[in-house]
Amino acid sequence: MQMESRPSSPIAPPSRRGLSRGEAAGYIGVSPTTFDKMVIAGEMPGPKRVGARKIWDVRALDLAFDALPGEDAVPETNDWD
């Protein structure tokens, strides 16, 4: 018996605005370690503090993700190269 292939369904947006580090990383589709590197590089926003917790704002993640270059983006050229 052959299994039918189903098209993948889109991932639903989170039901709350604040996400933990792991949830924020998963939301944009990377590992927590890669997410940390992106935060340090300024590619993703830093967290907000709520008591002792660090929480990432979904809206800020969306804006930062939208600002990432696409695969077809042309890298900047350097006249000195």
Side-chain angles (χ1 to χ4, degrees):
M1 182 173 172
Q2 194 175 27
M3 292 182 66
E4 291 185 33
S5 173
R6 292 184 187 167
S8 61
S9 59
I11 297 174
S15 59
R16 60 189 193 283
R17 184 162 169 190
L19 302 178
S20 69
R21 172 182 165 260
E23 292 169 330
Y27 180 65
I28 66 160
V30 299
S31 72
T33 302
T34 298
F35 183 75
D36 292 343
K37 291 176 184 175
M38 294 176 79
V39 170
I40 290 167
E43 297 171 324
M44 285 291 132
K48 295 189 174 278
R49 285 261 182 201
V50 178
R53 295 196 59 207
K54 294 179 180 181
I55 300 174
W56 275 263
D57 182 342
V58 169
R59 294 178 189 166
L61 292 170
D62 286 338
L63 291 172
F65 190 83
D66 289 344
L68 291 173
E71 188 174 297
D72 57 349
V74 178
E76 290 184 29
T77 58
N78 183 342
D79 293 336
W80 296 98
D81 286 343

